């Protein structure tokens, strides 16, 4: 079977198999084989409907390099997920894919984020997005003693946003 011939079966397994592990592996394989709008639409819908956090983790990980508008929408959806690993993958996606549409969602997610590693990825993503309007928020993270574990990352993000350092990251969308 050629890789693209497997796509319909992977979609079926990802969306209908009763076993979460099968759905997750199928979604992961699908994202590796086919980075089209149609596939990103399927993955976005899985993020919204699958109740298994492990499946949503596989899906969000598969979307990290999504460069279609629907893929970006799916990553924005993932920023609001109840699972911290899904949110981390979404933030990682915006550390590699530049999208002006992501900035306000990243800022909102950062304000609510309690997991330090996910918060750090969100700060890196805002720096990569060169989101100058996030400067006041990044300053609040720096001033918040409850978020001390993110101070180094917040300082780096602030340095990038204020032009003292170059952004790190991947692809422009």
């Amino acid at each position: 079977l050629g890789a693209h011939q497997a796509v319909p079966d992977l979609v079926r397994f990802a969306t209908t198999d009763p076993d979460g592990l099968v759905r997750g592996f199928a979604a992961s394989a699908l994202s590796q084989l086919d980075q089209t709008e149609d596939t990103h639409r399927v993955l976005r819908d899985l993020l919204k409907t699958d109740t298994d956090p492990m499946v949503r983790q596989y899906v969000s990980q598969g979307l990290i390099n999504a460069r279609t508008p629907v893929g970006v929408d799916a990553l924005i959806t993932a920023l609001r997920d109840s699972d911290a690993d899904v949110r981390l993958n979404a933030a990682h996606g915006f550390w590699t894919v530049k999208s002006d549409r992501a900035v306000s969602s990243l800022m909102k997610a950062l304000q609510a984020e309690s997991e330090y590693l996910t918060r750090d990825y969100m700060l890196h993503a805002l720096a990569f997005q060169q989101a100058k309007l996030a400067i006041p928020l990044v300053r609040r993270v720096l001033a918040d003693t409850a978020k001390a574990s993110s101070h180094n990352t917040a300082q780096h993000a602030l340095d990038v946003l204020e032009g003292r350092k170059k952004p790190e990251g991947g692809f422009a969308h």
Side-chain angles (χ1 to χ4, degrees), residues 90-171:
H92 185 186
F94 290 122
W95 191 6
T96 61
V97 176
K98 196 162 190 169
S99 171
D100 292 338
R101 294 184 302 127
V103 172
S104 64
S105 295
L106 276 164
M107 290 174 60
K108 186 174 182 180
L110 177 60
Q111 291 177 61
E113 189 55 58
S114 60
E115 298 290 328
Y116 84 92
L117 186 57
T118 305
R119 189 171 52 239
D120 282 2
Y121 270 64
M122 290 174 179
L123 286 161
H124 279 296
L126 285 167
F128 175 68
Q129 301 297 322
Q130 297 180 335
K132 301 244 184 261
L133 64 109
I135 289 173
L137 175 59
V138 174
R139 287 184 186 281
R140 283 196 302 276
V141 171
L142 272 169
D144 188 344
T145 56
K147 296 179 179 168
S149 59
S150 293
H151 283 189
N152 287 341
T153 306
Q155 185 61 60
H156 174 78
L158 189 61
D159 288 344
V160 169
L161 294 173
E162 292 181 340
R164 290 185 295 276
K165 289 187 178 178
K166 299 251 186 238
E168 305 164 349
F171 309 102

Side-chain angles (χ1 to χ4, degrees), residues 10-86:
L10 289 171
V11 169
R12 183 172 46 83
F13 287 129
T15 58
T16 64
D17 199 275
D19 186 332
L21 191 58
V22 172
R23 290 193 313 278
F25 283 155
S28 179
L30 183 61
S31 70
Q32 292 175 32
L33 287 177
D34 191 40
Q35 286 283 326
T36 63
E37 286 273 330
D38 288 339
T39 295
H40 290 161
R41 201 169 284 109
V42 169
L43 297 175
R44 179 199 60 203
D45 293 346
L46 276 171
L47 279 172
K48 291 179 178 180
T49 61
D50 202 298
T51 58
D52 188 332
M54 181 189 59
V55 173
R56 296 192 315 275
Q57 289 168 15
Y58 278 111
V59 170
S60 60
Q61 187 174 24
L63 288 164
I64 285 174
N65 293 313
R67 293 185 289 279
T68 67
V70 173
V72 169
D73 289 344
L75 287 171
I76 289 170
T77 296
L79 286 171
R80 297 185 300 266
D81 198 273
S82 61
D83 186 82
D85 289 331
V86 173

